[in-house]
Amino acid sequence: MSINLINKIHFRNWRGDLFGGLTAAIVALPLALAFGVASGAGAIAGLYGAIIVGFFAALFGGTPAQVSGPTGPMTVVVTTVIATLVARHPDTGLAMAFTVVMLGGLLQILFGVMRLGQYITLLPYTVISGFMSGIGVIIILLQLPPLLGHTGTGGVVTTLQELPTYLSNPNWVAVGLGLLTLLIVFIVPTKLNRILPSPLLALVVVTIISVVVFKDANVARIGEIPRGLPTFRMPTFSIRELADMLRYGLMLGVLGAIDSLLTSLVADSISRTQHDSDKELIGQGIGNMLAGLFGGLPGAGATMRTVVNVQAGGKTPLSGIIHAFVLLLVVFWAGPLTAQIPNAVLAGLLLKVGIDILDWGFIKRAPRISVKGTGLMYLVLILTVFVDLITAVLVGAFIANVLTIKRLSDVQSDNIQVITDSIGNHNLTPTEQEILTQAKGDILLLKLGGPMSFGAAKSISRRMTLVQNYQALVLDLSEVPNIGITAALAIESIVEDAIAHHRHVWIVVTAEQVQQRISQLDLQRFCKDHRTQNESLSAQISQGESRLQALESAFSLIQ
């Protein structure tokens, strides 16, 4: 199935898309400024990222009503990238960081072309909850220094080490402005929030207070941002940093994919549409690659901006494009207005973002739902905060899959029955029970049910070791819809052992996939091999049309 790269833009819902895009831009403006300052690249980088990613993700993406731009999770990663590379290479570090953004976008395009979109969000919820909450913790920790009136260090561990110093010597004006910002975004009534988004209201009100009341106070402010279009930035690499750049690029690509596709699911639920995961990844990748080329922060599908867009009437990609153009207009005339915005105000806005990212609902209920799930969620959270996202996701996914495989293996083991008599019924018909009774243990019925994966192989072999003396083996696979290679090889070993001990084997198969797998094993070769060694050997492998027919044939042979 081909992907139509460019979305068709129509104006059938222009009024709703206009209001949706305008509202989303109003919400995005203070957050874009805050993310830009927090990243270390400057407020203008946040605006450029919101414009470029917002425009191109809408034009090429696969979620009609989604609005994209810099988000908390993406900013956390790019902050680390910028801090690390600038510290190592003061002259070229920022250019290298934007090159990492390009690499992340390129990888997202590759994910979409390879049609990996349907798999990326198949992570267990405990893992998703853990790393999203971990990102929330990182945002909160990194915003404590600017809230207290100090310059942030860019790293979680360093911030924690320096936190006692920050707490012992706070800038009380900055603290007051930041807490007032936080108070406003929390207490603004829902009805007012729909008309005037609380982040913008807090930004304007507290900035005015800071200028009127604390004009002469020593408070760090954004400063005037550059006006006009961004400049092209050539990709910059360093051989020594190539491995780290690729790792960071992969981190941005994977996180951006997960963040965007989770938001796409939210957009589907509130707009009653169906997104195209692979197309969405391509659109996000193009946006991020171009953002890196023009000095913008990386972005992803933004949940809050998408929700307000839909609530205001936005339904098509036109709303995301309008959102980008509105922010572009802001870049041309808002430079002097942003100069007086205190960094503590932006810290207050981002603290709200971090608090909202924390998965409070699951954190509260997790211990009641599952002890293992709770432990896994906190493990992923800790790894996200103190190691990195990729390690957290890989470790979390591995442990979650091992636990899942163990549960499935236990279920599959319950569907494995080794039957030599009619005691216990085993869901056999009266005729089948009679045959086994008369056989007096000379017929062994190995009955399997449900999908048989590699987790069932060990149980199959273990059950067979419990029975040694029999003359005929009936393998009933009639209730097995599919079988994995490892389980099939376990059955092969059982058949080979039976033939080697001069026993007859009947195999009952109905599912096409199982029939194909069994035929690929070429089990008849065991008869030929052992007949070469012992011409008197009369063992054989037969295909029974049904379990009853196989039992009847086996019974007639052993008489």
Side-chain angles (χ1 to χ4, degrees):
M1 186 176 70
S2 62
I3 296 176
N4 295 321
L5 190 59
I6 301 178
N7 290 322
K8 294 180 180 179
I9 306 301
H10 62 78
F11 296 90
R12 291 191 292 272
N13 186 54
W14 70 270
R15 190 186 301 273
D17 289 333
L18 176 62
F19 283 111
L22 181 60
T23 306
I26 292 172
V27 173
L29 175 60
L31 295 178
L33 294 171
F35 288 137
V37 172
S39 70
I44 192 63
L47 281 176
Y48 286 157
I51 294 166
I52 296 171
V53 179
F55 178 83
F56 288 99
L59 186 62
F60 295 101
T63 312
Q66 182 151 289
V67 177
S68 301
T71 63
M74 296 293 278
T75 303
V76 164
V77 176
V78 82
T79 300
T80 302
V81 175
I82 292 173
T84 302
L85 294 178
V86 169
R88 296 176 184 173
H89 306 273
D91 296 331
T92 60
L94 188 59
M96 291 166 63
F98 285 122
T99 304
V100 170
V101 175
M102 300 177 211
L103 289 174
L106 191 61
L107 287 172
Q108 286 180 320
I109 295 173
L110 185 62
F111 295 158
V113 171
M114 295 174 64
R115 301 193 177 279
L116 300 179
Q118 59 184 319
Y119 303 106
I120 288 177
T121 53
L122 289 179
L123 290 171
Y125 186 80
T126 48
V127 176
I128 293 175
S129 175
F131 81 73
M132 290 303 288
S133 293
I135 287 168
V137 170
I138 293 173
I139 292 174
I140 292 170
L141 291 176
L142 294 185
Q143 294 312 305
L144 291 179
L147 181 73
L148 295 168
H150 296 273
T151 302
T153 58
V156 171
V157 175
T158 308
T159 299
L160 289 174
Q161 291 173 341
E162 298 293 331
L163 192 57
T165 303
Y166 299 148
L167 290 171
S168 64
N169 185 31
N171 182 324
W172 290 111
V173 174
V175 172
L177 294 173
L179 292 180
L180 180 58
T181 303
L182 199 58
L183 180 65
I184 291 174
V185 293
F186 269 112
I187 68 170
V188 168
T190 304
K191 292 182 179 180
L192 178 59
N193 196 23
R194 291 175 181 173
I195 301 172
L196 183 61
S198 60
L200 184 63
L201 179 63
L203 182 72
V204 172
V205 170
V206 182
T207 299
I208 292 174
I209 292 174
S210 73
V211 172
V212 174
V213 182
F214 302 106
K215 184 177 181 179
D216 298 325
N218 182 23
V219 178
R221 301 179 187 271
I222 291 180
E224 187 170 338
I225 62 174
R227 301 190 199 185
L229 298 173
T231 56
F232 180 80
R233 292 174 178 264
M234 285 294 295
T236 304
F237 292 93
S238 168
I239 299 300
R240 288 185 301 170
E241 303 293 347
L242 188 58
D244 280 346
M245 291 177 71
L246 290 173
R247 181 169 64 88
Y248 285 133
L250 178 62
M251 200 178 301
L252 280 174
V254 171
L255 178 58
I258 295 172
D259 202 5
S260 295
L261 294 183
L262 289 177
T263 303
S264 295
L265 295 176
V266 174
D268 286 349
S269 66
I270 61 177
S271 64
R272 298 182 180 179
T273 56
Q274 186 67 38
H275 76 278
D276 183 331
S277 296
D278 299 315
K279 194 171 188 303
E280 182 62 31
L281 290 180
I282 292 174
Q284 294 289 339
I286 292 172
N288 281 316
M289 193 168 63
L290 291 173
L293 280 170
F294 290 96
L297 291 190
T303 303
M304 185 165 63
R305 276 156 271 181
T306 299
V307 170
V308 298
N309 174 47
V310 175
Q311 290 176 342
K315 293 182 180 179
T316 78
L318 181 61
S319 59
I321 292 173
I322 290 173
H323 142 271
F325 274 113
V326 172
L327 292 177
L328 182 61
L329 292 176
V330 170
V331 170
F332 283 104
W333 62 266
L337 298 179
T338 64
Q340 297 300 322
I341 299 175
N343 288 346
V345 172
L346 301 181
L349 295 178
L350 291 183
L351 278 172
K352 175 64 162 57
V353 172
I355 292 169
D356 287 343
I357 290 177
L358 289 170
D359 190 359
W360 295 107
F362 188 71
I363 290 173
K364 292 175 182 177
R365 295 180 298 141
R368 298 198 305 269
I369 296 174
S370 168
V371 175
K372 292 180 181 177
T374 302
L376 179 58
M377 185 266 288
Y378 280 112
L379 173 63
V380 173
L381 189 156
I382 292 170
L383 290 175
T384 301
V385 174
F386 294 104
V387 185
D388 61 59
L389 172 76
I390 295 297
T391 301
V393 171
L394 290 178
V395 170
F398 175 77
I399 295 175
N401 286 328
V402 168
L403 294 174
T404 300
I405 290 168
K406 177 62 171 63
R407 288 194 295 269
L408 291 176
S409 299
D410 292 341
V411 172
Q412 292 172 1
S413 297
D414 293 338
N415 291 325
I416 300 172
Q417 301 180 49
V418 177
I419 306 168
T420 56
D421 54 52
S422 62
I423 298 175
N425 189 358
H426 304 290
N427 294 322
L428 303 177
T429 66
T431 305
E432 292 169 341
Q433 294 180 48
E434 180 64 24
I435 291 173
L436 289 174
T437 300
Q438 295 182 21
K440 298 179 180 179
D442 288 334
I443 297 177
L444 174 61
L445 172 62
L446 178 59
K447 184 172 177 289
L448 308 181
M452 289 288 122
S453 68
F454 66 89
K458 186 175 182 180
S459 295
I460 294 172
S461 302
R462 187 188 299 119
R463 298 288 178 88
M464 285 299 297
T465 59
L466 301 177
V467 181
Q468 299 294 332
N469 299 317
Y470 60 92
Q471 296 184 36
L473 172 65
V474 175
L475 282 171
D476 179 16
L477 308 180
S478 60
E479 297 178 7
V480 178
N482 55 73
I483 188 169
I485 294 176
T486 308
L489 292 176
I491 290 175
E492 179 187 61
S493 298
I494 292 170
V495 172
E496 181 181 14
D497 181 72
I499 296 299
H501 287 83
H502 307 186
R503 293 160 180 160
H504 297 271
V505 179
W506 278 264
I507 303 177
V508 182
V509 184
T510 55
E512 183 178 348
Q513 189 270 347
V514 182
Q515 289 178 348
Q516 184 178 6
R517 183 77 76 191
I518 295 299
S519 65
Q520 290 171 343
L521 294 176
D522 188 21
L523 299 178
Q524 293 292 345
R525 76 182 189 276
F526 296 131
C527 298
K528 298 175 184 177
D529 293 343
H530 287 288
R531 195 167 286 119
T532 300
Q533 300 170 17
N534 185 353
E535 292 294 336
S536 64
L537 185 63
S538 59
Q540 62 182 13
I541 301 174
S542 305
Q543 291 277 349
E545 294 183 6
S546 68
R547 184 172 64 206
L548 177 59
Q549 291 176 334
L551 288 171
E552 288 176 340
S553 299
F555 185 70
S556 63
L557 196 75
I558 64 175
Q559 295 302 302

